[in-house]
Amino acid sequence: MNALAATNRNFRHAARILGLDSKLEKSLLIPFREIKVECTIPKDDGTLVSYVGFRVQHDNARGPMKGGIRYHPEVDPDEVNALAQLMTWKTAVADIPYGGAKGGIGCNPMDLSVSELERLTRVFTQKIHDLIGIHTDVPAPDMGTNAQTMAWILDEYSKFHGHSPAVVTGKPIDLGGSLGREAATGRGVVFATEALLKEHGRAIKDQTFVIQGFGNVGSWAAKLIHEKGGKVIAVSDITGAIKNNDGIDIEALIKHKEETNSLNNFPGGEAMDPHELLVYECDVLIPCALGGVLNRENAGAVKAKFIIEAANHPTDPDADEILAKKGVVILPDIYANAGGVTVSYFEWVQNIQGFMWDEEKVNNELQRYMIRSFHNIKKMCQSHNCNLRMGAFTLGVNRVARATTLRGWEA
Ligand SMILES: NC(=O)C1=CN([C@@H]2O[C@H](COP(=O)(O)OP(=O)(O)OC[C@H]3O[C@@H](n4cnc5c(N)ncnc54)[C@H](O)[C@@H]3O)[C@@H](O)[C@H]2O)C=CC1
Ligand SMILES: O=C(O)CCC(=O)C(=O)O
């Protein structure tokens, strides 16, 4: 099922549970604005190449729209729409004063040189600079983008609007980025995992973990789990997959990846078929890469007891049903990966105040926000007798619905 159909289905299910009025339901579903722009750049060899850039601004009832920008060959309008909508519910679940947005360019960043990536980012920013802003829409990194990408957006935007560090988050520290933002999504995943496991009488140190994706989110999650004594027994990325049932030395794997740009030939692990990874025997499976990776084809074979959705929409609704029947507990994306946007909020607050927090404060506040949201989700699960995904969706949708109604927008 495509990402938008899946996200709409989850939203409608939550709206039904909440008994939302049909007009309000419709207004919450329709995006505020969809932007599609041509981005043509000269390649390093002088030839011209054109890409399509998207920014979908889904909802701003609770505050400026917020969400990452993705560079990936599979970026398409439906997926960006779905990801923007997920951001609206995610910021509401985290109870931070934002709406939701997402952007992307259909390109393969691995095929572009650094100067080509810079040109592409600057052209994209030129095309959307009037539609983003500190109090309207604040981009951040996502798959295929990073702090350097945010630095180029900040610089290009500032040419039109004056120095504006708060227009993007996930920036380099030297340009007003927050300490702790780079690790925040992975760290939030770990706080969320701890909260869930505690409820089941377990702890990270007693569990085995399988992680798909070893970029920003996957590598930080793996590193922090490893530090807490959890055994990471299999890891994959776009280059391949490795396993070691005695536990992979994650620090050594990070070093190997930095040196070789690949997981292959890591001396502390054995190569495995990447398709086997999601169905490998473990306690906790953490998808940290693409959407839709758990679907009706593979869900029946999943052996994990817990799935922590660090990626956005890794589980499609067919898989959700199959996994529920098997008793697999799923911690949904709009909660599990909210650590990134939560620290983005802290970064934005620091930029607006012109005051920098130390890293301990960032991490402590992040933990407080993640635990608070977990308990709020559990309360919704109890009130509505629903699973964690619907607990999170009803929590988020209800908050946005209340803000919409208070503004008088629903009629
Ligand atoms: N960066 C952030 O702060 C946040 C990211 N997310 C989500 O987390 C996921 C990962 O994002 P990042 O780590 O930022 O991206 P990234 O670009 O830093 O890393 C992505 C990783 O996925 C791997 N990958 C790509 N295709 C794969 C495949 N077919 N099989 C296995 N691995 C594959 C890549 O090799 C890379 O290791 C995405 O779904 C993103 O939307 C969610 C919240 C915040
Ligand atoms: O940090 C942010 O503003 C957004 C992160 C993001 O794109 C996400 O949570 O999926």
Side-chain angles (χ1 to χ4, degrees):
M1 189 181 295
N2 106 353
L4 186 57
T7 306
N8 288 348
R9 183 158 132 171
N10 285 329
F11 164 76
R12 288 205 178 92
H13 187 181
R16 239 184 358 261
I17 294 175
L18 292 165
L20 286 194
D21 168 78
S22 61
K23 282 190 199 146
L24 178 56
E25 181 178 331
K26 191 172 171 195
S27 103
L28 291 180
L29 206 55
I30 299 172
F32 170 81
R33 185 190 278 138
E34 293 176 69
I35 304 158
K36 180 177 176 185
V37 293
E38 175 216 337
C39 300
T40 299
I41 55 157
K43 300 254 292 173
D44 291 343
D45 65 8
T47 57
L48 289 181
V49 56
S50 296
Y51 299 95
V52 182
F54 303 93
R55 183 78 180 165
V56 175
Q57 299 173 328
H58 176 256
D59 194 278
N60 60 359
R62 299 182 66 261
M65 294 170 283
K66 188 85 188 82
I69 291 185
R70 176 178 287 199
Y71 289 179
H72 193 275
E74 282 165 30
V75 162
D76 72 55
D78 268 7
E79 190 186 37
V80 181
N81 246 298
L83 293 167
Q85 189 192 139
L86 286 173
M87 286 308 305
T88 299
W89 317 136
K90 188 185 302 183
T91 54
V93 167
D95 209 5
I96 53 179
Y98 288 139
K102 199 83 171 199
I105 301 182
C107 67
N108 188 348
M110 288 192 293
D111 291 345
L112 297 174
S113 68
V114 173
S115 52
E116 288 165 345
L117 282 170
E118 176 174 352
R119 285 197 288 278
L120 181 57
T121 305
R122 288 186 186 278
V123 168
F124 184 49
T125 310
Q126 287 159 18
K127 298 280 171 91
I128 65 167
H129 75 89
D130 268 340
L131 301 169
I132 61 172
I134 297 168
H135 298 292
T136 49
D137 178 4
V138 182
D142 191 77
M143 271 185 98
T145 57
N146 54 27
Q148 177 61 74
T149 324
M150 297 306 113
W152 292 325
I153 296 177
L154 161 56
D155 186 63
E156 200 60 31
Y157 180 89
S158 297
K159 288 179 189 164
F160 295 94
H161 303 274
H163 182 54
S164 315
V167 74
V168 285
T169 58
K171 302 175 284 289
I173 306 295
D174 289 325
L175 288 176
S178 177
L179 295 168
R181 173 59 184 91
E182 199 204 310
T185 309
R187 194 179 297 278
V189 164
V190 174
F191 289 145
T193 306
E194 278 180 324
L196 179 70
L197 289 177
K198 187 171 168 201
E199 205 198 43
H200 289 261
R202 297 167 183 238
I204 284 183
K205 66 177 172 41
D206 310 320
Q207 305 296 298
T208 55
F209 294 82
V210 166
I211 298 183
Q212 183 192 44
F214 205 63
N216 171 283
V217 180
S219 64
W220 272 105
K223 178 178 154 65
L224 297 169
I225 286 167
H226 184 66
E227 278 172 17
K228 285 177 181 282
K231 209 188 261 189
V232 180
I233 56 171
V235 172
S236 72
D237 75 356
I238 193 76
T239 65
I242 54 160
K243 63 179 176 184
N244 179 345
N245 282 349
D246 294 329
I248 296 167
D249 178 344
I250 298 296
E251 289 292 350
L253 185 61
I254 290 172
K255 197 158 172 277
H256 175 81
K257 172 109 194 245
E258 276 165 9
E259 284 165 6
T260 66
N261 239 339
S262 164
L263 296 185
N264 295 325
N265 304 317
F266 175 61
E270 190 188 322
M272 73 186 286
D273 177 353
H275 296 108
E276 286 296 304
L277 185 110
L278 293 169
V279 299
Y280 197 62
E281 180 89 45
C282 66
D283 296 310
V284 185
L285 171 63
I286 315 189
C288 302
L290 296 170
V293 293
L294 293 164
N295 45 50
R296 79 168 73 173
E297 271 79 55
N298 59 7
V302 166
K303 295 176 196 67
K305 299 170 192 73
F306 301 93
I307 295 174
I308 313 292
E309 294 187 336
N312 282 305
H313 77 88
T315 315
D316 80 8
D318 294 329
D320 241 353
E321 275 173 29
I322 297 167
L323 292 162
K325 284 194 191 120
K326 283 162 64 88
V328 180
V329 178
I330 303 178
L331 203 55
D333 47 8
I334 58 172
Y335 166 63
N337 68 32
V341 74
T342 301
V343 175
S344 276
Y345 165 55
F346 301 158
E347 179 173 327
W348 182 78
V349 166
Q350 292 171 72
N351 293 153
I352 288 170
Q353 292 184 330
F355 184 80
M356 200 165 169
W357 299 2
D358 64 34
E359 194 167 351
E360 198 184 345
K361 174 166 168 135
V362 171
N363 293 344
N364 288 343
E365 284 296 301
L366 172 60
Q367 185 168 27
R368 196 169 69 78
Y369 273 64
M370 292 304 294
I371 291 173
R372 181 181 73 177
S373 300
F374 184 76
H375 292 306
N376 288 334
I377 291 167
K378 289 299 297 181
K379 276 191 211 146
M380 292 307 265
C381 293
Q382 278 149 15
S383 314
H384 298 294
N385 190 23
C386 61
N387 66 14
L388 288 162
R389 187 178 314 282
M390 276 306 118
F393 263 82
T394 51
L395 178 64
V397 170
N398 198 35
R399 283 181 174 153
V400 182
R402 278 207 312 259
T404 305
T405 306
L406 284 166
R407 282 172 179 266
W409 285 354
E410 87 284 9

